Amino acid sequence: MNTTEIVERYYALANAGDWDPWCDLFAEDQTMDEQLAGHVEGRETLREMMKGFPDMYAEFANRPVHTVVQGDRAAVVSHISARTHSGVAVEADVCNYFQVADGHIVYMTNVHDTVPFAPVTGK
């Protein structure tokens, strides 16, 4: 897969809640700097972390609004609409940055306001 295909699949799998194949998009030695989860190294660490994701949200959608791809890098502005199991809505604009090598995401970071996620994080 090329960078565009990987990024499109990233969002398709996330919106389907299909977290195991979503994790497979990442390189074994991937690095992620995630706004809420912090620094995450390794695909299997990410996979373990994502096992708890369905416990946080009853509904989750991360819809791309604008995507820019240049070679092995991409930036995506998206909008998250989610609902916790207790019914609290989460709405947030996000920017994800991706670096791809050999058909996998090797680095990803995201930036967003953390306040909308307070019902989930407790912060």
Side-chain angles (χ1 to χ4, degrees), residues 7-66:
V7 169
E8 288 173 351
R9 186 128 174 89
Y10 172 98
Y11 288 96
L13 290 168
N15 288 323
D18 207 352
W19 299 112
D20 206 43
W22 180 86
C23 289
D24 291 337
L25 294 172
F26 290 83
E28 187 176 321
D29 61 348
Q30 71 85 35
T31 302
M32 177 186 289
D33 290 309
E34 209 284 330
Q35 184 82 31
L36 299 174
H39 187 75
V40 180
E41 292 187 9
R43 180 175 53 214
E44 296 313 310
T45 302
L46 179 61
R47 192 180 312 278
E48 284 301 312
M49 184 178 85
M50 294 310 294
K51 286 181 181 177
F53 200 82
D55 295 333
M56 292 189 291
Y57 298 103
E59 296 174 12
F60 180 86
N62 188 355
R63 306 279 185 225
V65 175
H66 184 72

Side-chain angles (χ1 to χ4, degrees), residues 2-123:
N2 64 34
T3 303
T4 299
E5 293 166 333
I6 290 168
V7 169
E8 288 173 351
R9 186 128 174 89
Y10 172 98
Y11 288 96
L13 290 168
N15 288 323
D18 207 352
W19 299 112
D20 206 43
W22 180 86
C23 289
D24 291 337
L25 294 172
F26 290 83
E28 187 176 321
D29 61 348
Q30 71 85 35
T31 302
M32 177 186 289
D33 290 309
E34 209 284 330
Q35 184 82 31
L36 299 174
H39 187 75
V40 180
E41 292 187 9
R43 180 175 53 214
E44 296 313 310
T45 302
L46 179 61
R47 192 180 312 278
E48 284 301 312
M49 184 178 85
M50 294 310 294
K51 286 181 181 177
F53 200 82
D55 295 333
M56 292 189 291
Y57 298 103
E59 296 174 12
F60 180 86
N62 188 355
R63 306 279 185 225
V65 175
H66 184 72
T67 302
V68 176
V69 176
Q70 185 174 21
D72 63 353
R73 296 167 193 257
V76 179
V77 175
S78 63
H79 184 82
I80 291 176
S81 292
R83 187 175 52 80
T84 67
H85 290 282
S86 63
V88 176
V90 175
E91 299 287 336
D93 292 321
V94 182
C95 184
N96 284 2
Y97 171 76
F98 301 87
Q99 291 178 358
V100 174
D102 299 322
H104 289 91
I105 300 166
V106 295
Y107 179 75
M108 193 206 97
T109 189
N110 63 11
V111 180
H112 55 76
D113 185 0
T114 58
V115 172
F117 296 91
V120 178
T121 64
K123 296 178 184 177

